[in-house]
Amino acid sequence: QVKLVESGGGSVQAGGSLRLSCAASGYTFSSNWMGWFRQAPGKEREGVASIYTRGGSTYYPDSVKGRFTISQDNAENTLYLQMNGLKPEDTAMYYCAARTGRTTGAWDSKDLYDNWGQGTQVTVSS
């Protein structure tokens, strides 16, 4: 059974940094998609970073490009999201997601991912 557990969230001031981690069990990073999404109160869940684990191609929306970096540690089965230059609008619950089956969709589509973590809260104050 696949389990994803996020950690690393917290409260920071604008301009600060956080590094989120997602520990995966029951699943190995091999030729598949993993991503980070976020959801602020009253808003849709949106993709903020994705990686195709075979080859390491990464994808970001313009809103975080240049500030967020997704990476993987295959030996530790852990996904990371380094977030620099945080802004108050980055405040949200952040979720780790993995595609372990044959789901399809764009890199930032929730439909592509069939496993989700419980989330970790990120709060950025001005």
Side-chain angles (χ1 to χ4, degrees):
Q1 183 177 352
V2 177
K3 186 175 181 182
L4 304 174
V5 180
E6 303 96 334
S7 61
S11 297
V12 296
Q13 290 191 327
S17 298
L18 284 173
R19 188 193 196 200
L20 306 185
S21 299
C22 172
S25 59
Y27 166 66
T28 55
F29 294 3
S30 60
S31 301
N32 225 323
W33 292 91
M34 293 201 74
W36 288 96
F37 283 70
R38 68 185 180 189
Q39 188 166 19
K43 294 189 175 182
E44 292 288 319
R45 190 172 296 192
E46 62 171 348
V48 296
S50 182
I51 186 167
Y52 188 65
T53 57
R54 182 176 185 179
S57 297
T58 57
Y59 304 84
Y60 307 92
D62 288 343
S63 58
V64 308
K65 197 172 292 183
R67 300 188 298 123
F68 289 13
T69 303
I70 188 172
S71 62
Q72 63 192 70
D73 184 330
N74 291 346
E76 297 293 329
N77 244 29
T78 302
L79 184 74
Y80 299 100
L81 183 67
Q82 178 67 44
M83 304 186 294
N84 299 327
L86 283 162
K87 305 175 181 180
E89 52 263 43
D90 294 320
T91 295
M93 185 71 79
Y94 283 70
Y95 298 90
C96 173
R99 174 183 183 264
T100 62
R102 296 179 178 272
T103 48
T104 60
W107 71 265
D108 57 350
S109 169
K110 297 188 294 293
D111 294 340
L112 180 61
Y113 306 90
D114 51 5
N115 283 277
W116 295 82
Q118 293 299 306
T120 185
Q121 177 67 37
V122 171
T123 303
V124 185
S125 58
S126 57

